[in-house]
Every structure is written in structure tokens, then in C-alpha cells.
Amino acid sequence: MRVLQRASALILRRGIATFQSRLCKSGSLFRVHPSVSKALAENKPVVALESTIITHGMPYPHNLSTAKQVEAFVRAEGATPATVGVIEGEVHVGLSSEELEHLALCKSSLKVSHRDLPYVMSKGLSGGTTVSATMIAAHRAGIPVFVTGGIGGVHRGGENSLDISADLTELGRTPIAVISAGVKSILDIGRTLEFLETQGVCVATYGASKNFPAFFSPQSGFTSPCQVGNPEEAAALIASTLSLDLQSGVLLAVPIPEEHAAAGQLIEEAIQAAVAEASAKGITGRDVTPFILQKVNELTEGKSLQANIALIYNNAKVGSQIACALSKQMTERKSRCQTHHHGKHSSDSDIVVIGGINVDFIAKGKTRTLHFGQTNPGSVCQSFGGVGRNIADSLSRLGRPPLFISATGADSHSEAVLNYCKHMNTSGVLRLEEQNTATYCAVITQSGELSLGLGDMDVHQQITEQYVSQFVKQLSSATLVCLDGNIPVSTIDYVCSIARKHNINVWYEPTDSEKASKPFLSDAWKSLSYSSPNLAELFTMNKTLGFPTPEVLPSSIEEVLSVAVALSRPLLEHIHCLVVTLGAGGVLVCGEHDAGSVNLQPRKQKRRRQLCAVHYPALTVTAEETMNVSGAGDSLAGALLTGILQRRDTDSCVRMGLLAARLSLASSHPIAPTLTSDSVDPNKVRQDWPKPSFMWIN
């Protein structure tokens, strides 16, 4: 079993982005707080905050109260705070109150810069992240705005010692906006600005002038090359930097409010005295800054600490306003871009598909029996799947491209799958920096039966009601909406409420027996028009509603059909039509009787009706021909839907689905690239069709 677990983990790791592009989840090195994750998924403003101010910048309890107050300022401006820290070897993007207090009280906390991250993580240590380390974590999480007090720079005498803060080089290679009160006044500000220019960092003063601030003082004697006057101008500068993909950051220098600036001469004298004492005591490197700040605080009798806190609060307020403006501008820009690039698709799409998008790895054994716990000979191929993606792909290839709404990571897998899906309307696919694109591995036997499936599908939980609500106009006017069982229950409920209000037909693809229950946990299922469960999923639906179900699945085809009809009957009180997939047993279509068959055409209104079922045997596909079992049901659904939308008769619709399923089974891709309208047209494909069997449903 341990060998199997290790092999499974290896398979999944091969399907996930590299360490550099991913934020790991449970048991891993980066953790994103749920509130931060939710805000990012909904494209809401988030502000990253560093934690050395907690661990090394101020004494307790000032450090804790200041950290909490800074977060409160961020929330008050309408953004979500994401304080970054390292706790027991894990980088946390967003801290709980308990975690903030832990860092504030921890006596062994380290000061964690870029270079220290690997060591601190490998040893399971805790610490406060500097500007450089916070930038790394924030960028990995997809947070473009980071607020701090002041950044590091070139130390006095740095032309000889080469003592230059990693904050500066990080600004030159990490595309994130850092909002600070300029450069700490204990540093060589002139050389720091020269170094930033060399690194290609855009530096701008926030406010009415170009005067570059010196932490405690609004003026340093130097000027910034740029100036922005308000949050909107600052956001536009950041957006331009990000859109150019320069891979360098922006430094926005915010002067401390005049009313809070301590007497400049007093603090400057204290700084000179502290610098001299640090030099006399041989204090160097990372220990210089905390020593000088503490000494200056003592010499100014707390006035520098008050000024420090005031500037941090002000930075938090200004930075949050900029983050909100940036979020608004990016949302508007994305909307304009989608209108420009997808205008034709969006206006023509009268179908909406909401569901999962995966990278699939299909492993097929070459022997009759697979032996767990050891390596089996076989073949492994990669393809692109996901139930929602498969159905949208099928519809697109058959001439009815839907608007596809889904979520992926912003990693190499999403690049690959979206490139593969260029023939589809993917304008509704949300890409998230802190998530992995969903991956799925199916191990199938030589005969084509599924032996084992493994999946990392967490990103599908980001297809939230809030995100989908952005497409309410398309949903409200759609001819048909298709949902797969991967999306959250709340999203399913939301779409069903829209469907009920606007009389929209909804097709529910259950995905698996566990997820089949989702619409049936409430009255949402009563708004469904179609569903295509297999027998196990049909069991789950009935069980969820409290209807009696057999204790074991039947074996013979006669028993299977009898049980399927019995289980379909209570659901047909509200659902227009059920397409029960029976694998090698074919398809059972249950619904309203019309001219000796089942009426598949969308209903105009609910009415009392006579029910019946028609069984269609499957088309023969040999074990040798079977390459992939992950997309046959989705191919059937997509082609059957196409037939319904083309207003074909029931026999033609089902036969289109069966032909598409056969193509899928014989392809290495879930949806065969050879799928076309002609390839599934029963009038153009030579095929001896077995006669379907008809039965009444009482």
C-alpha cells in the first residue's frame, strides 16, 4: 500500500506545476488564508503586509497592537489584509489572530529575507518576513500590492562594504508594487535610488511633489523620477507595469503626514548617534537596522516610535486605496479585453457550460490483470479533460460553441490546456495565481475498465457563486445551461435560481456518485430539465431525497433496466428527461411520451404527462480499440445536446451521442479531435443500428 501511495503521489506531482509556480496546500510550504484565497478568487483587492515589524520592528505589545490596527485600516478601506509570516517552516499568506500573537510573542523568531527562506523552511523555524521575502510570497499568491513601513537600501559606506539590501534586487525581479515611506533614513538614500535605477525599478512619490521621503521625514534632499497624485494614477502606473510584463516592481514612496513627522533635527541627531554606536560596537548586516531603530526610539523618548506607527498606518490607508483602484481598473480592463476578443463568441453563445477543466493522465495496462504494489507494463498519455470542458469541447466541435465558465491555476498546465482549447470560447475561465490547475490520473485495465482514479480538483471550488454571477446576463438569456458536479453546491443553487426565474433549461452532469447529490440537497433539483447519471449516480440522487433504493446494484441487463426505470420515476416529477448511461449496456432515456418515443425537446412549461423509457444498446468497441474511458459519457452528452438544439428526433439525438462516445473511446483524448458534425450524423455514418426497446413508466 505504501508503494501504491508513493506511486500515486508521483503521478500527481508530475501533473502539477513546478515548485516555483505553485502554492502548495495541505502539508506543504505555502499556505494562503481562506479569507485571502476567497478575495483573490473573486478579484477583490488584497494588500500584503510584512511581519518583521512584528518580530523585530517594535517591542511587545506595541508590535501586536500595531499589526492588528494596520489590518483594521486595510479592511476599513475595503481591501483584505494578507500579513505574511513564517510559522514552523511554512510561509503563511494571511495570518489569524492567534498566529499574529504567536509571532509577536515568539522570542526565537528569525528575520527572514529572500536568502533565508530555504533554510527556515527546511528547519521548520518561525520568523518575520522582510520586504524581499514578503514580495516573493505575495507574488506567488497573486497579490500585486504590498504595504510596508520603509524598504532597505544601500547602507552608509556601502560603496566599500557592498552592504546592499535584498529588498532592492527583489524589486528588480519581482513584479509587485511596494508602498512605503521611502527608504529608511539610516541608509544612503542617494546610492539607493541609483541602485534602483540600475535594477529598472520605477520609483514614484505619492502626493503633490517629487520629493523623495526619508522614512521619518517627508523630504530626503532627493527627488523621485516620477510622481502620482492619487490612488487612480498610482493604480494606472502599477497596471501599466504589470501589463508590460517587465518582471520588475514599482516603488511608491508615501511621505509621512506632516502632523505626525517628529522633529527632523532631533531624530537626525539621534540617528547619527545610533549609527556611531553601532559602528563602535561592531554591529553589522541584518542586526544594524533593529539596533538603530531601538536606539533612536530611546534617544527620542518614543517620538520616533510614534512617527513610525503613524507612517505605517498612513501607508496602509493609502496602499489599500491604491489596491482598490487597481482592482477596479483591472476588472474593467479585463471586461473590455473579453468584449474585444470574445465579442463574437459571447453574443453568439446561447449555451453556457459551467464546470471543471483538467489535465488528464491516462495510464493503460498491457496485461490482463493490474498488480497493485508494483510497476505494471503499460502506456501513459496526457490529454485535456474535465467534465465541463469536455462537454464544451464537444459542443464547439459540433458547431454550437458555448460560453465556458471554469477556473484554473496560472501555471504551465493552464497555458497548455487553454492553448489546446483555442477553438472554444474560454472567456469565462478564471486563472488564479495561488491555485494548481486541476489534474486527474486514470489507470485503466487492458480491457478498458477504470481501475483507479486520482485527482487534484481543489481549484474547482473557486468557481463560486460570486464569480459566476458576473455572467448573469448570459445565464438569463441562455437557451440551455449545463452544469457539472465539480462546482460548489452554492453555485449550483444560484444557477438553478436563475433558471427558475427565467425559465431556462438546465442539464446536470453528475460527474461521480458522490457529487451526484449536490442539486438534491435542496429544491434546486426541481429546476433541472435534464440529467445524465449512471446507475450509481441515480442511486445517490434517490438516496439523497430519501427515496428507497436497492441494497446492491443489479447485474443482468433486464434487472438493470427495471431498477433504472424505477429510480427514474420519482425524479421525473420535476426533471423533464433523464439519460441514464449504462456503460456497455447502452443508454436508457426516460421522460415524456411522444409518438412512440421520449420527447427530448425542451419543454415550454410543466404539465401532467405520460412517462415512458427507451433503451438504446451501446455500439461495440473492442478492448484493443479502447484508448480512453474518461470522456465517453461527456462526448455522448455533448452530441446528444447538439441534436436536441438542432431539434432532431430522439433516435437521431441518441445515435449522435453513441457515435461520439465510440469516437472518444478509440481516441487518446477525452473528446476525439476527429469529432465533427459529419462524423456523428446518423444519416452519413454507415451503421447497423439495433432496434431500441420501449417501455411505459407507471
Side-chain angles (χ1 to χ4, degrees), residues 103-114:
L103 283 181
L105 289 168
C106 185
K107 301 296 184 183
S108 59
S109 288
L110 300 178
K111 191 175 184 181
V112 184
S113 185
H114 178 126

Side-chain angles (χ1 to χ4, degrees), residues 236-250:
L237 175 63
I238 298 167
S240 295
T241 304
L242 296 176
S243 65
L244 287 169
D245 198 24
L246 298 175
Q247 298 305 307
S248 56
V250 176

Side-chain angles (χ1 to χ4, degrees), residues 429-443:
V429 177
L430 175 67
R431 298 185 71 194
L432 298 167
E433 287 283 351
E434 83 283 6
Q435 295 285 333
N436 298 324
T437 297
T439 50
Y440 174 73
C441 177
V443 181

Side-chain angles (χ1 to χ4, degrees), residues 165 199 263 326 386 462 666:
S165 170
Q199 293 292 309
L326 178 64
Q462 305 303 325

Side-chain angles (χ1 to χ4, degrees), residues 346 349-350 352 403 470-479 481:
S346 299
S349 294
D350 61 341
V352 179
L403 168 64
Q470 297 178 34
F471 303 95
V472 66
K473 183 178 178 182
Q474 292 92 326
L475 290 169
S476 302
S477 59
T479 301
V481 176

Side-chain angles (χ1 to χ4, degrees), residues 449-525:
E449 292 299 316
L450 179 66
S451 177
L452 176 69
L454 296 168
D456 173 10
M457 307 292 184
D458 292 354
V459 72
H460 294 153
Q461 297 311 302
Q462 305 303 325
I463 310 172
T464 61
E465 172 187 347
Q466 289 82 0
Y467 178 64
V468 172
S469 67
Q470 297 178 34
F471 303 95
V472 66
K473 183 178 178 182
Q474 292 92 326
L475 290 169
S476 302
S477 59
T479 301
L480 180 83
V481 176
C482 179
L483 308 175
D484 84 22
N486 286 306
I487 65 178
V489 172
S490 58
T491 306
I492 292 173
D493 290 347
Y494 169 73
V495 174
C496 286
S497 70
I498 296 291
R500 184 166 57 252
K501 181 178 178 181
H502 297 280
N503 197 27
I504 307 298
N505 286 279
V506 178
W507 179 294
Y508 180 61
E509 191 69 28
T511 308
D512 61 40
S513 57
E514 183 180 342
K515 296 167 185 168
S517 64
K518 288 185 177 181
F520 299 88
L521 297 170
S522 68
D523 281 344
W525 75 277

Side-chain angles (χ1 to χ4, degrees), residues 525 539 541-549 570-571:
W525 75 277
F539 267 50
M541 293 172 175
N542 277 264
K543 212 167 197 177
T544 305
L545 292 172
F547 297 135
T549 57
L571 304 186

